[in-house]
Amino acid sequence: MVPTVRSALVQALPEVGRDLAVVLVDNALNRMMISEHELELIRQGVRGRRGAAHLHRVWPLIDGRSESPIETRARLECVDSGIPADDLQVEQFDENGRFLGRGDLGWRRRNGSWVLVEMDGIEVHSQARAVSSDRRRQNGIASRSRETTLLRYLAEDLGTGVIVRDVREALSV
């Protein structure tokens, strides 16, 4: 018998660290492999299991809007550094209401402007079509939304401190 995603998560979550647990659940939610209701059943299913005590730190960090493991990891890195994102998948529009793009993580500055972080996965974002699309989106946001700072990173930037440093610097402007 093949286990369900829900039963696999009940089995795995007590055994893995915080970051991987959040990545696994974020991914399952985002891909609609589990529902919010099933997430609650998973929470109930892990109660009392050996190793499940650490999950009390996991539940508040779960957000199915993260569209990839590197987005989740970047978000957790910022949370751990004291600068949690204000929002995820922040949409940007020009003065005529035309959609320009969105950032994976967003911080609202005191003046109402945004600092956005875009996490680019090599597999997807290195394709010629994706590079062209990414360039158009970034140029559109940079040229038409003067109040937005868009920062782009790769998985190799995770754990280096560069994302947190750049976000802090951009927020101080």
Side-chain angles (χ1 to χ4, degrees):
M1 179 160 69
V2 177
T4 65
V5 172
R6 186 174 91 205
S7 65
L9 288 170
V10 168
Q11 291 291 318
L13 293 179
E15 305 292 327
V16 300
R18 182 202 73 165
D19 289 6
L20 182 54
V22 176
V23 164
L24 291 171
V25 178
D26 276 4
N27 194 41
L29 283 167
N30 184 267
R31 293 175 180 237
M32 292 184 245
M33 299 166 87
I34 62 169
S35 66
E36 290 290 334
H37 173 70
E38 287 175 299
L39 177 57
E40 184 54 38
L41 296 175
I42 291 166
R43 289 177 68 157
Q44 292 171 17
V46 299
R47 274 195 200 112
R49 295 180 68 92
R50 189 168 60 136
H54 81 94
L55 294 173
H56 73 278
R57 298 179 312 140
V58 169
W59 307 127
L61 298 171
I62 292 169
D63 193 320
R65 293 177 297 164
S66 286
E67 295 181 334
S68 71
I70 64 172
E71 287 180 30
T72 296
R73 290 186 186 278
R75 181 168 52 85
L76 292 175
E77 198 171 297
C78 291
V79 165
D80 291 345
S81 296
I83 53 168
D86 295 320
D87 205 356
L88 303 181
Q89 309 309 328
V90 179
E91 295 182 338
Q92 295 290 289
F93 300 89
D94 69 10
E95 60 280 350
N96 298 317
R98 190 184 72 170
F99 178 73
L100 297 172
R102 62 188 161 109
D104 298 325
L105 298 107
W107 291 261
R108 180 76 84 167
R109 291 186 182 115
R110 285 186 209 105
N111 68 4
S113 66
W114 284 97
V115 173
L116 302 179
V117 164
E118 181 74 13
M119 295 302 299
D120 296 334
I122 285 289
E123 304 89 32
V124 173
H125 293 274
S126 63
Q127 312 266 334
R129 202 166 159 172
V131 169
S132 177
S133 176
D134 290 345
R135 185 185 71 245
R136 276 194 307 275
R137 182 177 68 244
Q138 183 171 351
N139 289 344
I141 290 172
S143 66
R144 292 179 189 88
S145 181
R146 306 240 184 269
E147 299 174 353
T148 301
T149 301
L150 179 61
L151 306 171
R152 293 183 66 189
Y153 300 97
L154 299 171
E156 66 193 39
D157 297 313
L158 293 168
T160 66
V162 68
I163 298 169
V164 169
R165 181 198 67 210
D166 291 353
V167 168
R168 277 200 171 114
E169 187 175 307
L171 286 171
S172 71
V173 174

